[in-house]
Amino acid sequence: MPKAPAGTLYRGREGMWSWVAHRITGVLIFFFLFAHVLDTALVRVSPSSYDTVIATYKSPIVNLMEVGLVAAVLFHALNGIRIVLIDFWGSGPRFQRQMLYTELVVWVILVVPGTYYMIKHTIETLFGSAS
Amino acid sequence: MATTIDGAPAPVIEAPRSPRRRPTSSKARTNFELYAWLFMRVSGILLVFLVLGHLFIMNILDGGVQRIGFGFVAGRWASPFWRTWDLLMLVLAELHGTNGLRTVINDYAERPQTRFYLKMLLYVSTSLVVTLGALVIFTFDPNIS
């Protein structure tokens, strides 16, 4: 096996895996956007048809999928900022790995409270602590 | 004629050749891929604010998704600010995603026919989403029943 050249951004390790995750989250978000524009278009049909489809968004299982969507979008956004910095900031390529770990820390810091607020109502409905 | 120190003739450097013509395509070279690359960065930065703001308002703020309904949308779209926000977000996100999927198709679909049909499918879905989405934003009627 030939050894991978040193200093490669996109082969192996953090550079490659962040690229893979960026691609997977991107495709996922694209397909959600397609569905989301179609369901929102129901506001042009009637209030009740729109409220019916939005009711599925409020159900516990879809609510959990929304947490996944928000987590995916947040990763894609933060990693996109990292890509812009790699391309336009002079020292970007040198610090790409540090930027990825910073990005992951920020991601966790934002996803944890975000998840709490997003599933609060679902937890309360399922386990009946309030309202 | 130039010689080296020991008197031997210097290696010949040939005259630069005339520019190589592109073998198959007669189409003029464009900078399309450069502009596509730049668009991904510029739209991406704008989308960080537009999309994360949208997700925060819709899913987290003030009860999140549980408070959304027709009346909520009507209240927001009464303001030109939010209609502009949503229209800009729709167009930028759809074009950003389309170019992303175009790259993915170019990377993984190897047969020319497969590439062609996948991209046509992609572009048809893009025009559908942008047209329908813009139409809904522009023609929204809060008094519809």
Side-chain angles (χ1 to χ4, degrees), chain B residues 24 47 53 56 63 68 77 82 86-88 91 97-98 102 105 107 117-118 122 124 129 131 139-140:
Chain B
T24 47
L47 284 166
F56 181 72
I68 296 178
W77 279 356
W82 293 115
D86 286 355
L87 185 69
L88 198 63
V91 173
T98 299
R102 183 182 68 91
I105 294 169
D107 277 358
Y117 284 113
L118 282 177
L122 174 67
V124 167
V129 166
T131 311
T139 69
F140 178 70

Side-chain angles (χ1 to χ4, degrees), chain A residues 23 33 44 51 58 87 121, chain B residues 41 68 70 107-108 139:
Chain A
R23 188 158 270 208
L33 179 61
R44 200 65 194 83
D51 288 343
K58 302 177 185 178
D87 285 348
H121 183 270
Chain B
R41 270 87 192 144
I68 296 178
F70 183 84
D107 277 358
Y108 300 122
T139 69

Side-chain angles (χ1 to χ4, degrees), chain B residues 10-89:
Chain B
V12 178
I13 299 170
E14 293 187 64
R17 295 176 196 185
S18 55
R20 195 158 57 99
R21 299 254 166 245
R22 299 182 70 188
T24 47
S25 171
S26 59
K27 275 181 278 181
R29 286 184 84 111
T30 68
N31 283 329
F32 177 77
E33 292 298 338
L34 171 70
Y35 295 131
W37 174 86
L38 190 63
F39 171 77
M40 291 309 263
R41 270 87 192 144
V42 174
S43 62
I45 291 168
L46 293 170
L47 284 166
V48 168
F49 298 101
L50 293 170
V51 173
L52 292 186
H54 178 78
L55 289 178
F56 181 72
I57 294 165
M58 293 303 188
N59 291 289
I60 291 169
L61 197 68
D62 196 22
V65 74
Q66 302 299 330
R67 76 200 196 290
I68 296 178
F70 183 84
F72 186 81
V73 176
R76 274 165 62 81
W77 279 356
S79 148
F81 177 82
W82 293 115
R83 283 205 306 275
T84 310
W85 179 300
D86 286 355
L87 185 69
L88 198 63
M89 183 168 64

Side-chain angles (χ1 to χ4, degrees), chain A residues 19 23 30 33-34 37-38 41 43-47 50-51 54 58 66 73-74 83-84 87-88 118 121, chain B residues 37 41 51 55 59 65-66 68-70 73 90 94 97-98 101 103 107-108 122 129 132 136 139 144-145:
Chain A
W19 174 86
R23 188 158 270 208
F30 182 81
L33 179 61
F34 182 82
V37 170
L38 294 188
V43 292
R44 200 65 194 83
V45 177
S46 74
Y50 180 73
D51 288 343
I54 287 302
K58 302 177 185 178
E66 281 153 33
V73 171
L74 198 59
I83 292 171
V84 169
D87 285 348
F88 291 108
M118 285 183 73
H121 183 270
Chain B
W37 174 86
R41 270 87 192 144
V51 173
L55 289 178
N59 291 289
V65 74
Q66 302 299 330
I68 296 178
F70 183 84
V73 176
L90 166 77
E94 186 60 26
T98 299
L101 255 83
T103 309
D107 277 358
Y108 300 122
L122 174 67
V129 166
L132 179 70
V136 167
T139 69
I144 197 172
S145 56

Side-chain angles (χ1 to χ4, degrees), chain A residues 10-81:
Chain A
Y10 288 115
R11 193 197 287 176
R13 298 177 58 103
E14 293 90 344
M16 184 182 90
W17 292 111
S18 61
W19 174 86
V20 170
H22 200 77
R23 188 158 270 208
I24 292 172
T25 51
V27 172
L28 194 92
I29 296 161
F30 182 81
F31 284 115
F32 170 74
L33 179 61
F34 182 82
H36 187 47
V37 170
L38 294 188
D39 69 53
T40 305
L42 288 175
V43 292
R44 200 65 194 83
V45 177
S46 74
S48 64
S49 56
Y50 180 73
D51 288 343
T52 308
V53 75
I54 287 302
T56 61
Y57 278 93
K58 302 177 185 178
S59 70
I61 291 171
V62 181
N63 185 232
L64 283 179
M65 290 163 75
E66 281 153 33
V67 174
L69 178 77
V70 169
V73 171
L74 198 59
F75 173 83
H76 199 86
L78 293 171
N79 196 55
I81 296 171

